[in-house]
Amino acid sequence: KNEVEQSPQNLTAQEGEFITINCSYSVGISALHWLQQHPGGGIVSLFMLSSGKKKHGRLIATINIQEKHSSLHITASHPRDSAVYICAVRSSGGGADGLTFGKGTHLIIQP
Amino acid sequence: EAEVAQSPRYKITEKSQAVAFWCDPISGHATLYWYRQILGQGPELLVQFQDESVVDDSQLPKDRFSAERLKGVDSTLKIQPAELGDSAMYLCASSFGRNQPQHFGDGTRLSIL
């Protein structure tokens, strides 16, 4: 079982819809990242959070440490939001701090 | 264009050949990561450097893969000999320090024929 599970795997929505992508993890973490990957491969870091909620423009990320769950929300979605959204965690164990990634959620926003 | 520079962007080569990827992190970033992303999957950590030292290479297939960061700045990842299963996107990331946001390059897409 993957340590980081995302749902849904694929999501198609209409422009303007409110989008929610979920992430569950099974290990203790020191931080959780939400990343965006466009076709061609480049990855952009959207949020790094260890508690509570963060907001940037139309994007909102929340995390519940007790439930080991995080959500990424997109308000007023737009076709340019179409991308793969990846959840990644940094384990709270000592030593290396490379990220463990989910498989990603492929989001398509139709005009 | 990403601030972390990677080259080449694309590489096509035959199995059994040697292949090398280069990464130049953001200036001042002490921590550097190499990830491999197979199509349809999330990236997986291959190796992490802190300055010139390897912090974690537990997932690096050391019989064929090697990585170095001799002066603690840019880094090279090498595969010799390449196998068909090595076809993937190879991503480099850097951060100012450990437990800091990671900045990713655009990656090198490797295809082994």
Side-chain angles (χ1 to χ4, degrees), chain B:
Chain B
E1 192 171 309
E3 296 173 308
V4 174
Q6 287 189 248
S7 67
R9 286 296 308 276
Y10 304 93
K11 180 71 177 180
I12 301 173
T13 192
E14 295 182 340
K15 63 180 182 179
S16 304
Q17 297 298 306
V19 61
F21 315 123
W22 177 80
C23 173
D24 190 13
I26 293 172
S27 178
H29 280 195
T31 313
L32 185 146
Y33 309 83
W34 281 103
Y35 293 96
R36 177 172 62 184
Q37 185 178 25
I38 295 170
L39 190 64
Q41 304 289 320
E44 294 178 304
L45 179 69
L46 291 175
V47 61
Q48 177 185 344
F49 289 92
Q50 183 67 26
D51 299 309
E52 67 277 6
S53 300
V54 173
V55 175
D56 181 10
D57 64 356
S58 58
Q59 300 303 310
L60 189 70
K62 297 182 190 61
D63 57 334
R64 298 185 299 107
F65 285 64
S66 63
E68 59 183 18
R69 193 185 184 198
L70 294 177
K71 296 183 179 179
V73 180
D74 58 335
S75 175
T76 303
L77 178 69
K78 296 179 181 178
I79 308 174
Q80 183 172 17
E83 296 181 353
L84 292 175
D86 297 331
S87 295
M89 174 75 81
Y90 290 82
L91 292 158
C92 179
S94 70
S95 63
F96 184 72
R98 301 175 70 168
N99 210 30
Q100 296 293 315
Q102 296 183 22
H103 299 260
F104 287 81
D106 288 333
T108 295
R109 187 172 295 280
L110 174 66
S111 296
I112 305 297
L113 305 178

Side-chain angles (χ1 to χ4, degrees), chain A residues 43-63:
Chain A
I43 291 179
V44 174
S45 180
L46 298 175
F47 296 103
M48 184 179 81
L49 63 164
S50 55
S51 66
K53 174 181 175 179
K54 287 190 176 181
K55 184 176 188 295
H56 186 254
R58 296 180 293 105
L59 301 178
I60 303 166
T62 64
I63 188 168

